Amino acid sequence: MRQNIFDNENFFNGYRNLRRRDTCYNNLLEQPAMEEMLPDLKDKSVLDIGCGYGYNCLDFIKRGANKAVGIDISEKMLAVAKKESSHPNIEYRRMDMSEISSLNMKFDLVYSSLAFHYAENFKKLTEDIFNLLNDCGVLLYSQEHPIMTAPIDEDMGHFNLDENGNKISYTFSDYNRSGLRKVHWLGEEVTKYHRPMGEILTSVAQSGFIITDVKEPLPKPWALEKLPSIVKEYIKPNFLIIKAVKNKS
């Protein structure tokens, strides 16, 4: 197993408290955008990479999917999933995303929320996903936006203010330097991988996919009302969402 920061007790508790907040960016931006991009799931099979608490797996079943497989490297995450998001048609497995080629099954949708920036070999991951999908199957995933992951020195990423303290621009560095990044989050050092947009899109396309949607989600009016400061997403996006289809062979 690779980095498994989510089984660190302090990190796990901090992350869970973060996701429970109404003003969490995942709940205000990323998840609503992902929901809008979901394909029809009636009688479909779904693989959720980095399934976390399993909430999306349960949602897929409610939307008509006949099977959902959720994988995650965190035992703590999977324990919550099995307790709070169980269903006869959901299977949870402890597995690193680099090992998905060992799955002896096919899927109509491969879904992942904010996990792929932890993948060391992104091209292999997209190739493995392509091979796991049925013809006309869909890949839908989100990751941290490359602007967010770019700086090698995490202090280089910052907003710039005008004389009244309003955010007017964002400064970052090392955008075209792909590779490992170490950042501090929720009191722990976390390893992730940066890739510029061109590398990301090319990897998906060269794996055989047709890219149908690329979103850098902006807040809806209801999200701005709940958290006015989220307007800064118009200056610098936090998330990148890609939807791609495997054509018939």
Side-chain angles (χ1 to χ4, degrees), residues 99-131:
E99 302 168 339
I100 60 171
S101 61
S102 66
L103 291 169
N104 187 26
M105 57 187 78
K106 289 282 190 177
F107 301 94
D108 300 299
L109 169 67
V110 174
Y111 176 100
S112 184
S113 171
L114 299 176
F116 285 8
H117 48 268
Y118 298 120
E120 182 176 4
N121 190 336
F122 181 66
K123 182 66 182 301
K124 179 182 183 299
L125 177 62
T126 56
E127 290 171 349
D128 288 344
I129 291 169
F130 187 86
N131 292 330

Side-chain angles (χ1 to χ4, degrees), residues 7-231:
D7 275 348
N8 175 302
E9 185 73 23
N10 291 333
F11 188 90
F12 176 82
N13 290 332
Y15 182 78
R16 192 161 198 203
N17 289 335
L18 176 68
R19 290 301 299 266
R20 283 172 168 169
R21 296 176 190 166
D22 285 343
T23 54
C24 172
Y25 270 41
N26 304 79
N27 300 329
L28 295 181
L29 273 174
E30 182 257 352
Q31 280 296 293
M34 291 283 275
E35 183 177 340
E36 288 181 354
M37 298 170 73
L38 280 172
D40 179 11
L41 294 180
K42 184 172 175 56
D43 299 324
K44 304 296 186 181
S45 57
V46 185
L47 172 64
D48 186 352
I49 298 175
C51 65
Y53 306 127
Y55 300 153
N56 287 313
C57 287
L58 191 58
D59 181 60
F60 300 149
I61 298 299
K62 291 178 179 178
R63 291 174 182 270
N66 59 25
K67 182 176 180 61
V69 177
I71 68 165
D72 206 289
I73 61 170
S74 169
E75 290 181 343
K76 288 184 177 294
M77 289 284 193
L78 292 174
V80 174
K82 291 172 183 176
K83 180 180 179 181
E84 298 183 358
S85 304
S86 63
H87 189 278
N89 295 343
I90 299 177
E91 177 187 354
Y92 294 111
R93 295 190 185 190
R94 187 172 186 233
M95 177 182 286
D96 185 88
M97 70 182 86
S98 65
E99 302 168 339
I100 60 171
S101 61
S102 66
L103 291 169
N104 187 26
M105 57 187 78
K106 289 282 190 177
F107 301 94
D108 300 299
L109 169 67
V110 174
Y111 176 100
S112 184
S113 171
L114 299 176
F116 285 8
H117 48 268
Y118 298 120
E120 182 176 4
N121 190 336
F122 181 66
K123 182 66 182 301
K124 179 182 183 299
L125 177 62
T126 56
E127 290 171 349
D128 288 344
I129 291 169
F130 187 86
N131 292 330
L132 286 172
L133 281 167
N134 290 316
D135 288 341
C136 298
V138 174
L139 165 64
L140 175 60
Y141 83 92
S142 64
Q143 65 160 80
E144 287 189 3
H145 197 281
I147 289 176
M148 291 289 293
T149 59
I152 292 174
D153 179 353
E154 60 187 299
D155 292 332
M156 285 298 296
H158 61 270
F159 282 98
N160 304 300
L161 310 179
D162 65 13
E163 62 274 13
N164 298 315
N166 300 309
K167 295 180 175 68
I168 56 172
S169 64
Y170 187 80
T171 295
F172 61 101
S173 64
D174 303 295
Y175 180 81
N176 271 328
R177 298 182 188 276
S178 298
L180 183 146
R181 302 289 193 269
K182 290 187 180 293
V183 300
H184 291 85
W185 186 38
L186 299 177
E188 301 292 338
E189 185 177 77
V190 179
T191 297
K192 62 181 69 171
Y193 294 88
H194 167 70
R195 300 167 186 92
M197 186 78 77
E199 182 178 340
I200 292 167
L201 298 178
T202 300
S203 294
V204 175
Q206 289 185 350
S207 296
F209 287 101
I210 295 175
I211 298 171
T212 60
D213 292 282
V214 177
K215 274 193 179 180
E216 298 155 296
L218 289 170
K220 303 286 189 183
W222 61 267
L224 286 166
E225 185 175 336
K226 184 169 286 190
L227 185 67
S229 64
I230 205 171
V231 71

